Amino acid sequence: MSGAEERLLRLLGGDETAWLVDRVRRRMEQGRPLTGTVTLAAATPAQRRAIELLLGRRAGAGTSLSVSLGDMDRMLRASGVAAGGLREAVVRLRGPVRDLAGESAARTAAWEQAFARLDTLVAGRPELAGWRSWLEATGVVRRLTATAEEAGPLLDRLAAVLDRLPSSGLPLGRLAAETCGDAHALDEGRPLATLALSAARALAGLPYAGEGGADARRRTWAAIGVHLDDLSSLVLCLGLPGDDRTPTGRMLSAARAAGEPCVLTLRQLRRHETPFQADLVRICENPVVVAAAADELGASCPPLVCGGGRPSAAVWRLLGLLASGGATFAYHGDFDWGGVAIAAAIHERLGFVPWRFDATSYEAVPSSAPLTGRPNPTPWDPELASAMARRAVRVEEELVLSELVADLASNRSGSAIRHRGAG
């Protein structure tokens, strides 16, 4: 061991100066300058004597002990103990120093890169902005992956999945295969499935964490047009004209003659390839409207389809078959922001005239239920969104049930629905 090494160990290598070396090393790891003063509260006599030996002068009185880092650096350089000063001395005593600030910046950059594709997609999808903030706040991605390098491919696949949602009726396995190259990538329990399901809840206007269970999972995917199988996606209808040539057509004809609601599966509708012939088809959001119409009108009820909240793949398929047959649509739903979002999706895809679903109708119904959620535009009646934001109450379909059934009983034309409003 050289004389310089012996002097360095004698001056700074003992237990009495370990606190000082620790403080300096921590500053170096954090990228902070080695300037100013460090202080040790309640210093022992041995610690005070060690600093006096180091600096060559008395270390002051009192219980605390303060050391100027600048003085230390100059002393080490001038004495030849460490030509590179305090920084060199600490490295010689304790080994290479980690650049914690640099490591932190590198980790931050790596995570930003991992999220880059997803963030680009979310930037154009404001309905996912809250969900993206939730991902960050909960740290769910970091819990599911060990590093940013592991998270990057997972988040890229997630972005590819979200770019296809909402869907017009896609099987979950096919969605996984076409976006991830693995038909099982969205199977329950997989990290990608966990993240994609939380995004599906966001798109459906549901809590991001949501409830567990297979039924809840199935409903969530169905709400954005993805079905786990052809039998779990359903649509409720009443009074739809069928035919006598196909199995599904005969079911509809029999249900219409009996005045009973009919539930069709996506499997049945996928196997039915010919359009359904109808003129005006009314669409409601809640099954209670169908039940009341069946109770009061029975076989005389005009064509009515229930969206059941966010339209499932089966709902979209049935509405598509009706549209192909020349049907036009009149829509009513809940006057809340979720209901407006549902209506906007149907309006964009199929078009409709509002069925008591305009500003005048909204203002006419007493309600004290608070309106919550993120506002959405109402392109079929722009004044409706303004009226809802101004009044700030929600109106559920059940509050106007008698009026809706009366409309069905009178079988008004689409023109009358458009112009009469609340009636």
Side-chain angles (χ1 to χ4, degrees), residues 20-38:
L20 178 58
V21 176
D22 289 342
R23 299 274 188 92
V24 174
R25 186 178 180 86
R26 191 174 306 121
R27 286 195 178 201
M28 292 169 63
E29 289 175 338
Q30 295 170 346
R32 297 167 58 194
L34 302 185
T35 57
T37 300
V38 293

Side-chain angles (χ1 to χ4, degrees), residues 382-404:
E383 179 55 29
L384 173 58
S386 300
M388 291 175 64
R390 181 175 60 252
R391 190 180 175 201
V393 299
R394 72 175 189 271
V395 176
E396 297 174 337
E397 247 180 344
E398 289 83 349
L399 295 180
V400 293
L401 190 56
S402 59
E403 289 87 347
L404 297 178

